[in-house]
Amino acid sequence: MEISQDEKSLFPIQSSDGFIEFFQLHLKHAADEKNEPNLAFLSILLGVLEYKLTLSKTTDQPSSSSAESDAESLYRQGVTRQESKKENAQTDNDSIVESDLDDFPTLDFDVVEALYLKFKILVKGFIDKSSTENTTRGGYATKELCKKVSDLMWNRLNPHYHKDKAHIQSLFSFLTGRQLDCFGLALMVVAACQILLYNDVHLALSEDHAWIVHGDNCKEATEITWHGKGNEDKRGFSVNQTNTEKSWMYLHNKSVICNRLMELSAMIVSINPSIDVHFESKTLADIQLKLLKIMYKNGALERYPMGLSFLADLEDSVDLHDEAVKSVQTHYNNLHVFPHCAKGHFHLKHNDSKKAIHCWSMAAQVLSNYNYTREDEEIYKEIMDIAGESISQAMKNDPSVCDSEECFMDLIKFYDGICLWEEDSSTPVLHSWWAKYFTQSLGRFSTEVRHSFSKELCEVEEVSPSSNANDVTEDENQLQQSSTEKKLSKRNLRKEDVLSNDNAAEISLLGVKSVKMKGLEELLIGSKKINAQAVSLQLTAQSQTHFAKRHSNDSYMMGQSGRVKKPKKFFE
């Protein structure tokens, strides 16, 4: 885990190629089973690089106390020396065009090492590994140990800073500015446990949250960071899979359990090349892409769908988007939403509107496995953007979408998924905004497309179990069944999808499963013109749901006082 002499010999790093060379050499040493990537050292190194290429070009720099530590002073001195050298070189030859070498800052080993040693001393000086409260008999980390490490960093954070600001995900930000975002805190706890030689502690990731797993075979899961707007009450609680099994934030026990290479990949994904809202560092963006390619070749992204989707966006590659979706389907029971959304955005960008709408329909169907909670803000905003902007844009880009039965089905399934997401939830999802865009999108489809579904109603009834078998021979009945199933398969439906569970008494030619969409079906395919007001009333009606009773030990619903917190609504 320590930095070898071969790696030290590459310093000072003065170019992008030199940085990549160091990274590859470090991974080569880590390939030994007795060695691992040094998460703390790499986080500091990446943080220094990100600072120099982004924050140092703006006034938004990390702030520290007036009495700087020796490590921070050394870093400031190193920065001053580097800037002085640049100014002298520019004075010698003003006509030189800025190159990658000029744009890349000099990274000195002693600066990074000083910060690393400061963190190492802090962790080892605070945690007594020999204590039975911290370590089990098998040598595994306890929940109490994880909470102590989290407290160690939490208590040293600056109490007054915006926790969603950019460039505060690295250990460098913690050591020089006393700032971390929620992901940064989680990753730093893992890095600290690595220094303490707790090899069982690993990062667990959902699509909008992070926690840690530890113990024998990583069976225990503990909250060590906050979620959303700084809710520190989470830290130290066990992740109760019984209470969170229908929560998107915990992915129904199908979260990404990282190994060291995956944790390093997550660290690389978190790099932010943005200088401000208008500009970004091309050098840092190129390095991020090269590092992700290296991790991809090492197999570190195979079980990391969000990492694959991120790389797919950078590479503009449909094959990588396909890999991300396949990873979700193979390893996570198709319970991750964002890879489907990202693939849809790729197709929209490349003017393939039909495939884009299909991908978003798939995303909503995945979302239907969960119940909506007040902490689902990120996925709520994503689905809202798709409904309000992306689908409209797709239909404008390709008018033939409005004549496609498959696209009509995908739109229906998209909203059916959202309705199912709302069912059994304690907080409503759908309101007048959703109804507005739903009816607008429906209105773009021709009457012929909508009526094409109702024309086959009788045919489905004839092959349903309630049909009169005496009126036709067995061969004719089989022929009718085969013909109808072929028509249904064109819309990706099976006969059992269009028949309800109530003895086939109710038929759904659209294959919808939610209560609201079943009530809307006749309005959608039976009427000559869409009745916007009737659709809106049905869509925004109080869901026929039961409100799940929260257990008193529900960690994310309780504060330190022990009183259950009232969920907040996004729209009131």
Side-chain angles (χ1 to χ4, degrees):
M1 192 177 79
E2 297 301 325
I3 307 302
S4 67
Q5 288 298 324
D6 291 344
E7 294 168 78
K8 291 179 182 179
S9 67
L10 297 177
F11 286 86
I13 298 175
Q14 297 178 305
S15 68
S16 296
D17 291 341
F19 190 90
I20 299 300
E21 183 182 359
F22 167 82
F23 195 88
Q24 289 176 315
L25 183 60
H26 189 78
L27 286 181
K28 183 179 179 181
H29 285 295
D32 181 1
E33 290 184 1
K34 296 181 180 179
N35 209 348
E36 294 179 336
N38 190 323
L39 297 180
F41 186 90
L42 292 175
S43 181
I44 294 170
L45 184 63
L46 288 170
V48 172
L49 181 64
E50 183 171 330
Y51 170 83
K52 286 300 298 174
L53 292 175
T54 58
L55 284 176
S56 67
K57 302 179 185 299
T58 69
T59 57
D60 188 14
Q61 301 183 15
S63 60
S64 58
S65 61
S66 56
E68 289 184 324
S69 68
D70 293 339
E72 292 165 344
S73 297
L74 179 58
Y75 168 74
R76 305 296 180 193
Q77 293 168 12
V79 170
T80 304
R81 288 198 302 270
Q82 294 164 20
E83 291 175 345
S84 178
K85 289 178 182 178
K86 266 192 172 183
E87 290 174 1
N88 293 337
Q90 188 174 9
T91 303
D92 293 339
N93 190 356
D94 292 335
S95 62
I96 295 179
V97 178
E98 185 178 11
S99 64
D100 180 64
L101 179 63
D102 295 324
D103 188 44
F104 195 92
T106 299
L107 302 177
D108 292 321
F109 180 77
D110 55 354
V111 173
V112 181
E113 184 185 40
L115 291 171
Y116 172 67
L117 291 176
K118 176 187 177 182
F119 182 66
K120 190 174 181 179
I121 292 170
L122 175 67
V123 172
K124 288 194 169 184
F126 186 80
I127 303 296
D128 180 11
K129 189 176 179 181
S130 63
S131 170
T132 56
E133 185 183 30
N134 298 332
T135 310
T136 67
R137 290 182 178 180
Y140 302 116
T142 63
K143 183 174 69 172
E144 289 73 20
L145 178 280
C146 299
K147 177 64 161 57
K148 284 182 180 179
V149 175
S150 177
D151 287 343
L152 172 64
M153 298 181 195
W154 177 268
N155 294 331
R156 282 163 176 76
L157 292 176
N158 188 327
H160 306 294
Y161 73 95
H162 184 52
K163 291 181 173 60
D164 290 330
K165 66 185 291 188
H167 311 297
I168 57 171
Q169 79 284 0
S170 71
L171 184 51
F172 169 78
S173 173
F174 172 72
L175 293 172
T176 62
R178 299 193 295 131
Q179 299 178 13
L180 281 173
D181 59 18
C182 55
F183 168 79
L185 178 58
L187 191 59
M188 293 313 103
V189 170
V190 175
C193 290
Q194 185 189 34
I195 287 175
L196 294 168
L197 302 181
Y198 287 106
N199 296 324
D200 61 303
V201 178
H202 287 284
L203 185 68
L205 296 171
S206 68
E207 296 184 295
D208 189 40
H209 189 40
W211 58 97
I212 59 172
V213 292
H214 54 98
D216 189 14
N217 292 323
C218 295
K219 291 180 180 178
E220 295 188 58
T222 302
E223 298 277 12
I224 39 79
T225 187
W226 70 91
H227 179 266
K229 299 179 180 178
N231 181 11
E232 67 273 18
D233 296 342
K234 280 181 169 295
R235 297 178 305 108
F237 283 93
S238 294
V239 177
N240 190 326
Q241 297 299 339
T242 301
N243 291 345
T244 61
E245 63 179 358
K246 294 286 285 183
S247 168
W248 165 76
M249 197 173 74
Y250 293 93
L251 295 178
H252 208 331
N253 201 23
K254 292 297 180 181
S255 59
V256 177
I257 307 301
C258 299
N259 55 31
R260 289 289 181 252
L261 287 179
M262 293 168 70
E263 287 157 359
L264 181 54
S265 300
M267 188 188 301
I268 296 169
V269 169
S270 71
I271 293 172
N272 188 347
S274 300
I275 296 173
D276 55 34
V277 293
H278 302 293
F279 301 100
E280 71 172 26
S281 168
K282 185 178 183 303
T283 300
L284 186 57
D286 289 343
I287 289 174
Q288 183 182 37
L289 175 58
K290 289 176 182 177
L291 293 180
L292 277 177
K293 284 183 176 180
I294 292 172
M295 302 310 295
Y296 175 76
K297 290 178 181 178
N298 278 274
L301 302 184
E302 181 181 353
R303 289 176 172 265
Y304 185 16
M306 288 281 281
L308 282 170
S309 291
F310 188 79
L311 180 58
D313 283 338
L314 296 179
E315 289 276 75
D316 200 27
S317 167
V318 68
D319 290 337
L320 286 172
H321 278 296
D322 289 339
E323 281 191 51
V325 172
K326 184 178 179 181
S327 176
V328 170
Q329 294 169 339
T330 303
H331 303 297
Y332 302 104
N333 201 26
N334 200 29
L335 287 172
H336 295 203
V337 183
F338 274 119
H340 293 285
C341 297
K343 187 178 177 182
H345 293 312
F346 171 86
H347 286 304
L348 178 63
K349 178 182 176 181
H350 291 272
N351 296 317
D352 195 337
S353 297
K354 293 179 181 178
K355 287 184 178 179
I357 294 174
H358 178 70
C359 289
W360 296 325
S361 171
M362 292 294 295
Q365 290 298 301
V366 173
L367 194 59
S368 70
N369 291 287
Y370 302 108
N371 289 338
Y372 173 69
T373 73
R374 64 188 179 88
E375 296 186 304
D376 295 346
E377 184 178 2
E378 287 302 314
I379 193 62
Y380 186 97
K381 290 189 294 186
E382 174 69 17
I383 297 297
M384 202 172 188
D385 287 342
I386 291 172
E389 298 178 12
S390 301
I391 290 178
S392 297
Q393 188 61 47
M395 299 179 84
K396 289 178 183 177
N397 291 350
D398 183 4
S400 69
V401 165
C402 303
D403 297 318
S404 168
E405 295 178 6
E406 289 77 13
C407 289
F408 179 77
M409 275 298 309
D410 284 331
L411 180 70
I412 297 301
K413 285 190 173 184
F414 175 78
Y415 280 93
D416 186 45
I418 298 171
C419 290
L420 287 169
W421 185 33
E422 182 185 57
E423 287 186 11
D424 295 329
S425 300
S426 58
T427 306
V429 174
L430 297 160
H431 52 87
S432 58
W433 184 96
W434 293 93
K436 172 186 174 183
Y437 283 98
F438 182 41
T439 53
Q440 283 183 1
S441 298
L442 282 175
R444 293 176 182 268
F445 286 95
S446 64
T447 305
E448 290 74 20
V449 168
R450 294 188 293 105
H451 283 188
S452 66
F453 292 88
S454 60
K455 288 177 182 178
E456 294 168 10
L457 176 60
C458 295
E459 297 178 11
V460 177
E461 287 176 330
E462 288 173 4
V463 299
S464 67
S466 60
S467 296
N468 188 351
N470 296 327
D471 294 341
V472 293
T473 67
E474 183 176 347
D475 290 340
E476 289 174 334
N477 195 24
Q478 290 179 351
L479 204 62
Q480 289 175 341
Q481 289 185 16
S482 175
S483 174
T484 303
E485 287 173 358
K486 285 181 180 178
K487 292 179 180 180
L488 293 173
S489 67
K490 290 181 181 179
R491 303 187 177 95
N492 298 317
L493 292 174
R494 297 170 299 171
K495 187 174 70 176
E496 51 265 37
D497 289 330
V498 302
L499 299 175
S500 75
N501 295 326
D502 188 16
N503 297 321
E506 181 184 343
I507 295 175
S508 171
L509 281 173
L510 298 178
V512 295
K513 300 175 182 178
S514 66
V515 174
K516 285 187 176 181
M517 292 304 290
K518 285 179 180 178
L520 278 171
E521 193 168 48
E522 182 61 30
L523 288 171
L524 301 180
I525 63 175
S527 59
K528 189 173 182 180
K529 185 179 179 181
I530 295 292
N531 187 331
Q533 185 176 7
V535 171
S536 179
L537 287 172
Q538 174 69 16
L539 198 66
T540 59
Q542 178 70 43
S543 295
Q544 297 178 21
T545 62
H546 69 273
F547 298 104
K549 183 179 180 181
R550 299 293 182 186
H551 297 280
S552 61
N553 64 344
D554 192 339
S555 62
Y556 62 91
M557 291 294 292
M558 292 187 65
Q560 294 177 345
S561 64
R563 292 180 297 176
V564 178
K565 295 181 178 180
K566 183 179 179 181
K568 295 180 181 179
K569 298 180 181 179
F570 289 116
F571 296 91
E572 296 180 336

